[in-house]
């Protein structure tokens, strides 16, 4: 222990020396910074079609885990900012800034300073036009893609560069550790794509005329990536899906805003397939198709405090089993959410002829406001008038509907369980259901076909069409195809 002299002069001199030493040490520490860059070997670009891949290593979501990336606000000495303007981006909304973004990404991704995070900055007050681009990993440090300005593509299919994939715009491939953050906008400029003759459009009778499909880009695609976080950014007017996750693992979405007009075709807000451990919390989605669509190969999905609508098709599991395919979805929870002025509320949709299962799904504390089909299972999903009847079906089992309340459009039953003739829906559980017409007082009876389960006797409307759940003889075989048992 240091002992101070009782002599006032010596004590004052000692304090000056200690203070001077500490100041010198702090200054020297702040000046230590190494800016060397290292180039990564090139990695093949992802194909446009989706397919299953082996999952990346598990990343613990525990914030106290030392393996977790530091926040950029934690220690400014360890944050390296790569402003795209410093790499030649004009930000005038006219000049093609793709090369500048790619160079900035490569520089940030190749930085390997110990404990550093790299920030690719899209600054406020500028609009950056970039064409179809793939941001490739893995990177040598955790990446922050901070969007405070606006990013747009070229305007419409005719201006899309020849030879570039028309199914994707901004792709993040093999990234292990990235946060998409900021208060800016990713604007897909979708109107000219929606107006293509091959797109489904509303006719004068407000029915959908299907004349597709045709290629249009998803705004953001995350492919074979893990340890991802999104917060604060607005994504709007995508030509097709706004955001997709394919082959991803450990994704945390919070306070995201996704918007497009209710008439915009195929503009799903967030699409998930072949992915696990996905959280979507405290977000707002208003669009022309499913707010969230969950495809095959997805499990451990948690959706909480989501506002869905006005417009769109609600929250959907599916469509599954198209072209006689195997489809597996399990452990999905949707809770504490609000769906308003939408065609559907919570929906499971499967094609005839498929196989596999949807199991372990819970819809809890969902508020409906003027929703046409609040609760729906449709195992006869078809996008044309020529779908033949088939005996095989995806098995729907273990679905819980709890505290689903609000109003519905009287044109359809508030509850519709259209299950397969040969593969019944099993273990459906309904409690705390309180759905009343948005106009008038006449309550429409639920519809059930080959659906087995139990229901709370105090539910509104009264649900008497469910059969007692004794039809689970095929449970082992059906679920076994998905490796659940």
């Amino acid at each position: 222990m240091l002992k101070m002299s009782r002599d006032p002069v010596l004590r004052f001199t000692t304090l000056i020396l200690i203070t001077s030493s500490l100041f010198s040490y702090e200054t020297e520490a702040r000046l230590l910074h190494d800016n060397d860059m290292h180039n990564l070997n090139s990695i093949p670009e992802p194909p446009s079609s989706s397919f299953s891949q082996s999952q990346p290593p598990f990343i613990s979501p525990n914030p106290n885990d030392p393996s977790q990336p530091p926040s950029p606000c934690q220690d400014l000495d360890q944050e390296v900012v790569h402003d795209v303007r410093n790499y030649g981006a004009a930000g005038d909304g006219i000049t093609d800034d793709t090369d500048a973004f790619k160079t900035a990404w490569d520089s940030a991704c190749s930085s390997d300073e110990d404990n550093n995070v790299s920030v690719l900055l899209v600054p406020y007050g500028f609009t950056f036009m970039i064409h179809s681009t793939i941001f490739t990993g893995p990177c040598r440090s955790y990446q922050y893609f901070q969007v405070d300005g606006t990013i747009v593509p070229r305007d419409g299919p005719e201006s899309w560069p020849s030879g570039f994939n028309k199914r994707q715009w901004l792709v993040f491939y093999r990234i292990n550790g990235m946060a998409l953050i900021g208060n800016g906008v990713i604007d897909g400029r979708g109107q000219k794509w929606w107006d293509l003759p091959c797109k489904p459009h509303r006719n004068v009778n407000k029915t959908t005329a299907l004349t597709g499909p045709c290629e249009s880009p998803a705004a953001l695609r995350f492919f074979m990536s893990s340890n991802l976080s999104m917060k604060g950014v607005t994504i709007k007017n995508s030509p097709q899906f706004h955001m997709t996750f394919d082959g991803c693992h450990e994704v945390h979405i919070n306070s995201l805003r996704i918007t497009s007009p209710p008439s915009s075709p195929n503009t799903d807000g967030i699409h998930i397939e072949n992915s696990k451990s996905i959280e979507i919390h405290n977000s707002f989605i208003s669009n022309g198709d499913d707010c969230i669509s969950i495809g095959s190969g997805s499990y451990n999905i948690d959706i909480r405090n989501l506002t869905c609508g006005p417009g769109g098709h609600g929250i959907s599991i599916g469509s599954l089993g198209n072209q006689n395919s195997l489809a597996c979805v399990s452990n999905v929870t949707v809770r504490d959410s609000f769906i308003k002025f939408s065609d559907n509320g919570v929906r499971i949709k499967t094609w005839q002829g498929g196989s596999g299962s949807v199991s372990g799904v819970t819809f809890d504390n969902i508020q409906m406001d003027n929703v046409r089909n609040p609760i729906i299972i449709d195992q006869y999903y078809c996008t044309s008038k020529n779908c033949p009847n088939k005996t095989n079906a995806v098995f729907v089992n273990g679905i819980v509907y709890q505290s689903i309340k609000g109003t519905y459009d009287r044109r359809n039953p508030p509850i519709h369980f259209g299950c397969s003739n040969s593969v019944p829906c099993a273990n459906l559980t309904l409690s705390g259901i309180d759905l009343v017409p948005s106009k008038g007082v006449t309550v429409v009876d639920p519809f059930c076909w080959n659906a087995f389960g139990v229901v709370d006797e105090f539910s509104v409307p009264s649900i008497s069409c469910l059969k007692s759940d004794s039809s689970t003889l095929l449970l082992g075989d059906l679920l076994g195809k998905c490796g659940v048992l």
Side-chain angles (χ1 to χ4, degrees):
M1 179 182 295
L2 178 64
K3 294 184 178 181
M4 299 290 291
S5 171
R6 297 192 179 188
D7 186 327
V9 176
L10 289 176
R11 181 183 297 180
F12 179 75
T13 302
T14 302
L15 287 172
I16 290 176
L17 289 173
I18 292 173
T19 303
S20 175
S21 175
L22 288 172
F23 177 81
S24 175
Y25 175 81
E26 181 180 1
T27 302
E28 182 179 357
R30 288 184 176 273
L31 289 174
L32 289 176
H33 189 73
D34 187 357
N35 290 320
D36 292 340
M37 299 295 179
H38 300 269
N39 293 324
L40 287 174
N41 294 327
S42 62
I43 297 177
E45 294 183 349
S48 58
S49 61
S50 60
F51 54 93
S52 299
Q53 295 288 337
S54 58
Q55 299 292 346
F58 175 77
I59 304 296
S60 169
N62 182 359
N64 298 318
D65 188 332
S67 68
Q68 290 298 292
S71 163
C73 300
Q74 251 179 9
D75 189 343
L76 294 179
D77 289 340
Q78 296 178 350
E79 181 186 69
V80 181
V81 177
H82 301 265
D83 188 327
V84 294
R85 293 175 302 169
N86 296 335
Y87 293 84
D92 57 9
I94 301 172
T95 304
D96 190 330
D97 291 324
T98 306
D99 288 344
F101 269 71
K102 286 287 290 179
T103 304
W105 171 265
D106 291 343
S107 179
C109 186
S110 61
S111 177
D112 65 350
E113 297 299 318
D114 292 340
N115 300 318
N116 270 0
V117 294
S118 294
V119 180
L120 187 150
L121 176 63
V122 181
Y124 173 78
F126 298 88
T127 298
F128 300 91
M129 193 271 288
I130 63 178
H131 60 64
S132 181
T133 305
I134 299 174
F135 299 99
T136 305
C139 297
R140 294 179 175 173
S141 61
Y142 193 87
Q143 301 297 304
Y144 283 86
F145 200 107
Q146 183 167 335
V147 180
D148 289 329
T150 300
I151 303 175
V152 297
R154 295 191 181 186
D155 191 12
E158 292 185 359
S159 63
W160 204 258
S162 177
F164 282 79
N165 193 328
K166 287 188 176 181
R167 293 184 178 180
Q168 55 195 32
W169 174 31
L170 304 178
V171 181
F172 294 88
Y173 176 50
R174 289 191 179 276
I175 309 299
N176 184 5
M178 192 193 94
L180 174 65
I181 59 173
N183 296 310
V185 176
I186 298 173
D187 184 350
R189 287 174 147 181
Q191 186 64 58
K192 291 182 180 179
W193 298 89
W194 306 332
D195 290 341
L196 288 172
C198 58
K199 290 286 186 179
H201 292 84
R202 300 280 182 180
N203 61 29
V204 292
N205 296 320
K206 295 185 179 180
T207 58
T208 301
L210 296 173
T211 56
C214 58
E215 291 184 336
S216 299
L220 288 102
R221 182 187 181 198
F222 293 88
F223 182 61
M224 293 178 62
S225 296
S226 62
N227 192 17
L228 305 174
S229 176
M230 290 91 195
K231 186 174 183 179
V233 176
T234 294
I235 306 166
K236 69 178 187 178
N237 298 331
S238 177
Q240 199 156 356
F241 293 2
H242 285 77
M243 177 179 284
T244 72
F245 296 92
D246 185 359
C248 293
H249 175 157
E250 291 296 324
V251 178
H252 309 280
I253 297 173
N254 202 324
S255 304
L256 209 64
R257 183 178 179 86
I258 296 175
T259 63
S260 64
S263 60
S264 57
N266 306 124
T267 53
D268 292 34
I270 299 173
H271 177 71
I272 303 164
E273 63 179 296
N274 301 319
S275 298
K276 68 176 183 178
S277 301
I278 312 291
E279 293 180 348
I280 303 172
H281 294 171
N282 310 314
S283 295
F284 173 86
I285 302 175
S286 176
N287 59 335
D289 211 302
D290 296 328
C291 286
I292 296 174
S293 55
I294 300 171
S296 181
S298 301
Y299 58 102
N300 296 342
I301 312 296
D302 184 67
I303 300 167
R304 185 187 309 176
N305 195 23
L306 175 75
T307 297
C308 174
H313 298 168
I315 299 170
S316 293
I317 296 175
S319 61
L320 304 174
N322 192 18
Q323 298 181 345
N324 305 324
S325 61
L326 173 69
C328 303
V329 174
S330 63
N331 298 334
V332 176
T333 300
V334 181
R335 54 185 161 174
D336 306 331
S337 295
F338 181 34
I339 303 174
K340 57 184 179 180
F341 298 96
S342 175
D343 282 355
N344 303 297
V346 290
R347 174 169 62 159
I348 298 172
K349 52 180 178 177
T350 72
W351 295 77
Q352 294 187 74
S355 60
S357 69
V358 177
S359 63
V361 177
T362 298
F363 300 107
D364 181 20
N365 191 27
I366 313 294
Q367 183 70 32
M368 306 282 181
D369 184 4
N370 201 11
V371 174
R372 188 166 181 175
N373 299 288
I375 297 173
I376 179 170
I377 296 176
D378 179 9
Q379 295 211 267
Y380 299 88
Y381 182 74
C382 177
T383 57
S384 73
K385 295 181 179 180
N386 301 313
C387 294
N389 288 326
K390 298 181 180 180
T391 55
N392 286 346
V394 176
F395 182 39
V396 177
N397 173 68
I399 315 299
V400 175
Y401 301 92
Q402 180 173 305
S403 190
I404 312 293
K405 301 180 180 181
T407 61
Y408 64 92
D409 185 324
R410 290 187 63 250
R411 290 176 293 176
N412 292 77
I415 300 169
H416 178 107
F417 293 139
C419 302
S420 166
N421 278 328
S422 55
V423 185
C425 301
N427 298 313
L428 306 182
T429 302
L430 294 89
S431 64
I433 307 299
D434 189 359
L435 295 169
V436 297
S438 57
K439 294 181 180 179
V441 295
T442 303
V443 176
V444 181
D445 290 335
F447 171 83
C448 304
W449 181 261
N450 213 17
F452 291 78
V454 295
V455 61
D456 183 344
E457 61 180 318
F458 300 111
S459 291
V460 177
S462 176
I463 307 168
S464 59
C465 59
L466 274 182
K467 300 178 181 180
S468 59
D469 200 355
S470 59
S471 177
T472 56
L473 297 178
L474 298 178
L475 179 61
D477 285 342
L478 292 165
L479 285 183
K481 292 182 180 180
C482 288
V484 176
L485 295 180

